[in-house]
Amino acid sequence: MQFESSASFAQRMDADDPLAAFQDQFHMPLDQKGQKCIYLCGNSLGLQPKSVRESIEQELQDWQTFGVEGHFHAKNPWMRYHELLAEPMARLVGAKPLEVVVMNTLTVNLHLLMVSFYRPTAKRYKILIEASAFPSDQYAVKSQLHFHGYHPDDALIEVQPDDGQAWISTEKIEAVLAQQGHEIALVLLGGVNYYSGQAFDMARITAAAHAQGCVVGFDLAHAAGNVMLHLHDWQVDFAVWCSYKYLNAGPGSTAGCFVHERHANAVDLPRFAGWWGHDKATRFKMGPDFQPIAGAEGWQLSNPAILPLAALRASMAIFDEAGMANLCAKSEKLTGYLEFLIEQIGGDAVESITPKQPEARGAQLSLRLARDGKAVFDRLSARGVVCDWREPDVIRIAPVPLYNSFTDVYRFVEIMKEEMHGLGRNFRRS
Ligand SMILES: *Cc1c(COP(=O)(O)O)cnc(C)c1O
């Protein structure tokens, strides 16, 4: 693709974008002057689909009308409400409906699935993660190690980035697996790393880890709704993700989880059980003995919160309408355009630390600023650009294909250049 650094080129790209109309399905936040923001923070909190309000109001209305009978008589009876999410969620992550469930929040699901899938033995007890994994994942993993009587100094393997890079090559992970795989019980990686924006080669890593007898889980917080996933075909053992980043289901909304079909009837796996994971046919017999539902639903604990699920349903309908493959095709161009414009700036003032290959990233570039990073970020914020700052020197930019345009990307880079210039930094004007 031949890009150009001009407003008219960005407008032409938008005019040719078959997904351009989706922007209208979202509420765009306004800046202090009442103008639409340039919102590039969908990797942190996705925007509100306009259809969410109606979806939630339906449940408020049914609660008002039916009270407890809403479990059966609501337009979408609450008793089976979460089941409405299984098919769209399965399509999104490349799974069978049996393999996915929406429940709880991400870190809770990570713990619940580690209870079942981190089964250390005397010889095989280590956990492999990526260095600088999201803090919550580090805390969850370390606390699981302690819970089983191990110490992270010995039992936690953190794969470091390749020399001079922010990302980790698949070869490096394969080398660690070849050397230490026989001691590793669990490989747990972020599908897309939150800091570097690197998308891991989940198929290859899963195969390499399985060849060593390790169980493989992925945290897809930054991958779900962002990159193509084929969890079933890749043979991933389990995965978890939240729904408020690329999935646009609102702050703290209900999370997802995947358990591969081959574990669907593994009743011998230890798990922390609750009544909502119990066989539906006998759940209300209120018996004392737990019989799990086959598949991911068997890991549920509680009857789910319907209001966040209503938001998630509205959002998933948009993903079905747009199609993940179409979104990924646009995303590749949009992030590619951002990268092109950043490279045009020249000099050493700003560089992307995200991998360059389109298959090794999603809708994010992490920009490292050589100087005055925080000051540039503050100036961007003051001008209505919403992005985020990560210590010590990184601004994360997420051009989201559902609601960001090529013009958003172009305007963002223009504003950044102006603000860097305003701070008296020399760089070649493109
Ligand atoms: C966003 C994110 C989380 C957040 O966890 P919650 O339980 O939803 O608060 C955890 N892990 C990763 C990798 C994330 O990106």
Side-chain angles (χ1 to χ4, degrees):
M1 176 114 238
Q2 216 36 51
F3 293 124
E4 289 169 33
S5 175
S6 72
S8 59
F9 176 81
Q11 282 158 14
R12 280 206 304 281
M13 292 296 286
D14 288 331
D16 289 345
D17 171 13
L19 300 178
F22 279 91
Q23 189 172 44
D24 266 353
Q25 296 199 29
F26 292 86
H27 290 291
M28 187 59 72
L30 304 179
D31 66 15
Q32 292 141 346
K33 295 188 200 128
Q35 312 268 4
K36 282 187 180 175
C37 289
I38 301 178
Y39 194 85
L40 298 165
C41 212
N43 55 346
S44 193
L45 186 75
L47 291 183
Q48 183 187 141
K50 292 177 181 169
S51 53
V52 157
R53 184 174 296 273
E54 193 187 321
S55 189
I56 291 180
E57 276 176 355
Q58 179 71 51
E59 304 319 318
L60 290 175
Q61 183 61 51
D62 287 348
W63 179 21
Q64 180 178 330
T65 309
F66 298 111
V68 69
E69 293 299 323
H71 285 293
F72 306 100
H73 299 312
K75 183 174 178 206
N76 304 295
W78 304 327
M79 186 61 77
R80 309 189 81 103
Y81 199 95
H82 68 280
E83 295 173 18
L84 300 173
L85 275 309
E87 288 197 6
M89 204 49 116
R91 279 192 284 279
L92 191 91
V93 299
K96 299 185 176 184
L98 169 87
E99 295 173 314
V100 298
V101 67
V102 290
M103 60 183 196
N104 313 314
T105 48
L106 192 164
T107 308
V108 174
N109 290 346
L110 186 55
H111 273 299
L112 289 177
L113 292 186
M114 281 198 283
V115 163
S116 293
F117 291 103
Y118 172 54
R119 305 297 308 148
T121 62
K123 290 212 175 99
R124 189 190 280 278
Y125 59 91
K126 298 190 178 178
I127 301 181
L128 180 149
I129 63 173
E130 81 252 44
S132 65
F134 194 88
S136 196
D137 300 42
Q138 296 189 46
Y139 307 153
V141 163
K142 287 180 187 170
S143 60
Q144 287 276 337
L145 288 172
H146 285 301
F147 179 72
H148 285 280
Y150 299 100
H151 197 282
D153 287 351
D154 168 46
L156 187 63
I157 301 173
E158 292 179 89
V159 186
Q160 299 295 325
D162 291 40
D163 288 341
Q165 304 295 347
W167 37 264
I168 306 169
S169 64
T170 309
E171 290 74 17
K172 191 155 185 197
I173 295 168
E174 285 174 330
V176 174
L177 285 167
Q179 276 170 7
Q180 301 178 70
H182 60 285
E183 296 176 339
I184 297 173
L186 173 65
V187 172
L188 181 78
L189 297 170
V192 173
N193 180 272
Y194 82 102
Y195 189 82
S196 68
Q198 174 184 11
F200 286 96
D201 187 336
M202 291 176 249
R204 229 172 102 185
I205 292 167
T206 303
H210 281 170
Q212 297 292 331
C214 320
V215 171
V216 182
F218 286 103
D219 181 333
L220 303 175
H222 282 263
N226 179 22
V227 297
M228 287 306 281
L229 297 167
H230 302 282
L231 299 180
H232 176 84
D233 290 346
W234 294 340
Q235 302 286 328
V236 170
D237 291 284
F238 72 91
V240 292
W241 58 94
C242 58
S243 65
Y244 50 81
K245 292 173 179 168
Y246 293 99
L247 295 189
N248 310 319
S253 195
T254 307
C257 98
F258 166 90
V259 176
H260 197 277
E261 187 178 34
R262 66 180 174 283
H263 305 300
N265 292 299
V267 284
D268 50 327
L269 275 182
R271 71 177 96 191
F272 287 170
W275 75 316
W276 224 251
H278 184 91
D279 177 23
K280 291 172 200 177
T282 59
R283 184 189 287 147
F284 286 90
K285 295 204 182 339
M286 302 299 209
D289 296 318
F290 178 69
Q291 281 167 355
I293 305 167
E297 274 192 88
W299 270 265
Q300 295 173 105
L301 298 182
S302 304
N303 77 99
I306 298 299
L307 301 183
L309 287 188
L312 183 55
R313 258 189 88 216
S315 166
M316 295 307 293
I318 298 176
F319 275 90
D320 268 339
E321 193 188 338
M324 255 333 272
N326 299 329
L327 288 168
C328 289
K330 174 176 174 184
S331 183
E332 187 178 326
K333 286 186 204 155
L334 204 55
T335 299
Y337 190 47
L338 173 62
E339 183 175 54
F340 166 82
L341 294 175
I342 294 295
E343 283 170 356
Q344 292 286 301
I345 294 177
D348 68 348
V350 52
E351 59 163 352
S352 164
I353 60 168
T354 303
K356 290 199 168 304
Q357 315 90 292
E359 66 278 10
R361 69 187 185 200
Q364 177 182 327
L365 289 188
S366 301
L367 304 180
R368 175 169 286 154
L369 280 87
R371 294 167 292 274
D372 300 329
K374 187 62 174 36
V376 173
F377 172 77
D378 289 341
R379 284 168 166 241
L380 286 169
S381 304
R383 292 194 57 186
V385 176
V386 184
C387 51
D388 78 12
W389 170 250
R390 285 287 177 266
E391 293 292 342
D393 54 5
V394 166
I395 294 176
R396 296 188 310 169
I397 302 295
V400 171
L402 267 176
Y403 48 74
N404 285 127
S405 64
F406 291 86
T407 300
D408 287 340
V409 167
Y410 178 77
R411 284 179 53 217
F412 156 68
V413 176
E414 287 301 297
I415 292 171
M416 189 172 74
K417 285 196 291 194
E418 284 165 25
E419 295 306 330
M420 281 164 46
H421 202 72
L423 284 159
R425 293 302 164 194
N426 289 326
F427 60 93
R428 184 163 54 79
R429 278 227 176 243
S430 56

